[in-house]
Amino acid sequence: MSQTVDSFSFAKRIPATPSIGSTTVTKQDHVHLSFGFAAPHLFPIEQLSQSAAEAVTLHGRKALQYSGSVGPGQILKWIQARSQVHGIHVELDQILVTYGSTQGIDLATRILVEPGDHVWVESPSFFSALQAFRTAEAEITSFPIDEEGVRVDLIENALLNAKQNGKPLPKFLYTMPTYHNPGGVTLSVERRKRLVQLAEIYNFFILEDDAYSELNFTGNRYPPLYTLFPERVIYLNTFSKIIAPGLRLGWIIADSRVIAKIKLLNLGGSIGVFTQEIVAKLLDGFAFQEHVDSLIDHYRQQRDVMAKAVKNSFGEHVTFHLPEGGFYIWLRFADEVNTSDFLEDAAHRGVSFVDGKSFYVNPEGFQYARLCFSYVSEDQIVRGVQSFADAYFAYINKAVS
């Protein structure tokens, strides 16, 4: 009798669950408030089409080889120049292009963490990052956020306690300090300064995920953690939110010695060299800041529509922090509410969202829900939020009866 796949012992490091935030619902009128996607009508389709044609015509034979043509070098120079706008000044050997920022999380984790090492995170945190840390068999400790970002005072207390009592210190702390996913909050300047001081004192890295920083709705500027302590910060960013996610291009900025170690993991050579060729052609002469400004105008309006819809549909039943940028509004219900309990009913009513527990290391966060305002239209936001509210009120009315 032949053996089945089920009888085979696969590596225990494979995540137990697939990526979170998607849905299997395919109905055309379904409102996907769970999708953390960019607005497709804002993709620069015409420019990308022209850039792809030029990449094939001008450099196709070389660009389709393993090492690519001139595009990868041009991308590095563009990242170097754009980073200076945010106060980051680096050499080219301090930049590495990745398959999106999520691969950057995975690569950084792999060079820093042995099984059993400690990784500290915010609570809540980006679920794909948590999957990467679990897959690396790290011991994960989480620290809560408030309206000024992660509670750095609690991190400091934990570090002091670990040092005094001979407990393990973290190899790194993962944070999304600007327009947090899912919390929507931004780490204050004072906390940023103290956090990098702690990294120096206690000798750990900070993995800074800065995926949403270009989508700045207020004009308020916050220094990337990298600018405050380059030696101990590994900085991640991506083209997914500002050009298109299907390109699967992001980047890491770090000390050149860190980059050299990460490169050892790239067994297949350079990342998406033909895609880099296309994007390089796009960015050459592209009015990038005008493009970003149009993204900001659109997403700010989407945020405001969702905030108003939530207030109209839920009243005093939820609270939330109005984000200064990014894609998400993070709702808090009463402590006794479990948003997982009305996920299915909400889907039947035509809307999907992400329940709070998905963003936590431990069994908690049940009273939260993440809504994304970037992917759907204004009409869909209003309709989806109302359907979500209908599912919630049906849930609490059932609990009372």
Side-chain angles (χ1 to χ4, degrees):
M1 181 181 294
S2 62
Q3 296 288 337
T4 66
V5 172
D6 292 337
S7 67
F8 187 80
S9 177
F10 287 94
K12 65 180 180 179
R13 294 183 300 276
I14 298 174
T17 58
S19 182
I20 300 162
S22 59
T23 175
T24 58
V25 178
T26 57
K27 295 179 181 177
Q28 282 193 336
D29 61 346
H30 189 86
V31 181
H32 297 280
L33 299 183
S34 58
F35 285 179
F37 293 0
H41 72 277
L42 297 177
F43 298 161
I45 296 295
E46 293 184 7
Q47 296 95 323
L48 280 169
S49 177
Q50 181 178 346
S51 299
E54 290 179 1
V56 171
T57 303
L58 299 177
H59 304 290
R61 297 189 184 281
K62 189 172 182 181
L64 290 167
Q65 282 288 4
Y66 285 113
S67 58
S69 185
V70 297
Q74 292 173 337
I75 289 288
L76 290 179
K77 291 178 181 177
W78 184 90
I79 293 170
Q80 182 187 48
R82 185 64 188 179
S83 297
Q84 292 175 9
V85 174
H86 302 283
I88 297 175
H89 300 272
V90 293
E91 301 299 325
L92 295 180
D93 65 356
Q94 294 177 256
I95 307 169
L96 179 67
V97 173
T98 60
Y99 285 119
S101 58
T102 304
Q103 192 201 25
I105 294 171
D106 177 60
L107 292 172
T109 302
R110 288 167 63 191
I111 68 159
L112 295 176
V113 173
E114 299 282 3
D117 282 345
H118 286 245
V119 171
W120 290 7
V121 301
E122 298 158 322
S123 182
S125 188
F126 177 39
F127 42 68
S128 292
L130 295 180
Q131 281 194 345
F133 308 149
R134 291 182 181 120
T135 301
E137 301 181 50
E139 295 290 333
I140 308 173
T141 301
S142 60
F143 297 86
I145 64 171
D146 61 20
E147 290 194 351
E148 293 186 42
V150 68
R151 290 281 304 277
V152 175
D153 60 323
L154 299 181
I155 293 173
E156 183 168 5
N157 291 341
L159 289 166
L160 181 60
N161 178 267
K163 188 74 171 179
Q164 291 177 340
N165 294 283
K167 297 177 181 178
L169 292 168
K171 296 297 288 292
F172 69 85
L173 179 137
Y174 170 77
T175 177
M176 190 175 286
T178 307
Y179 320 139
H180 184 273
N181 175 16
V185 299
T186 294
L187 190 64
S188 68
V189 174
E190 293 75 16
R191 291 188 186 184
R192 289 171 190 249
K193 292 178 179 178
R194 186 55 182 160
L195 185 59
V196 298
Q197 288 172 351
L198 294 173
E200 181 172 17
I201 293 168
Y202 291 95
N203 192 31
F204 61 88
F205 272 91
I206 296 173
L207 187 56
E208 179 180 15
D209 189 343
D210 205 26
Y212 299 93
S213 61
E214 292 281 5
L215 305 179
N216 179 345
F217 303 158
T218 66
N220 296 332
R221 293 287 180 182
Y222 300 88
L225 297 172
Y226 182 88
T227 65
L228 302 175
F229 191 22
E231 294 80 5
R232 273 291 182 269
V233 177
I234 299 174
Y235 176 89
L236 309 174
N237 211 319
T238 180
F239 287 108
S240 294
K241 319 304 177 189
I242 53 177
I243 301 294
L247 296 171
R248 303 315 304 137
L249 286 182
W251 63 92
I252 300 173
I253 291 176
D255 184 285
S256 59
R257 291 161 294 185
V258 173
I259 295 296
K261 289 187 178 297
I262 293 175
K263 283 183 176 179
L264 296 174
L265 299 176
N266 279 345
L267 303 180
S270 300
I271 299 296
V273 292
F274 187 65
T275 302
Q276 290 192 58
E277 196 73 41
I278 295 172
V279 174
K281 294 294 181 191
L282 170 74
L283 295 171
D284 184 19
F286 184 52
F288 179 74
Q289 189 57 55
E290 289 182 18
H291 171 70
V292 169
D293 290 343
S294 70
L295 298 181
I296 290 171
D297 289 343
H298 175 74
Y299 291 135
R300 185 196 296 116
Q301 175 66 16
Q302 296 284 99
R303 177 204 64 178
D304 292 344
V305 169
M306 177 171 280
K308 182 178 179 181
V310 168
K311 290 177 181 177
N312 289 342
S313 296
F314 285 95
E316 300 299 317
H317 284 257
V318 299
T319 58
F320 62 90
H321 173 84
L322 188 69
E324 294 184 24
F327 279 4
Y328 309 105
I329 287 182
W330 181 237
L331 301 184
R332 176 169 184 162
F333 294 83
D335 288 346
E336 62 270 18
V337 171
N338 186 342
T339 59
S340 304
D341 288 346
F342 52 96
L343 267 172
E344 186 175 348
D345 185 36
H348 287 153
R349 295 172 187 270
V351 62
S352 57
F353 66 96
V354 185
D355 51 343
K357 70 177 184 182
S358 302
F359 299 91
Y360 288 83
V361 176
N362 302 310
E364 56 181 317
F366 301 101
Q367 72 272 40
Y368 291 93
R370 190 193 76 175
L371 303 182
C372 179
F373 52 76
S374 61
Y375 177 65
V376 294
S377 68
E378 292 183 17
D379 289 343
Q380 287 176 313
I381 288 174
V382 174
R383 177 163 54 86
V385 169
Q386 184 58 57
S387 297
F388 179 36
D390 291 343
Y392 162 72
F393 284 113
Y395 160 79
I396 61 171
N397 289 335
K398 182 178 179 181
V400 170
S401 62

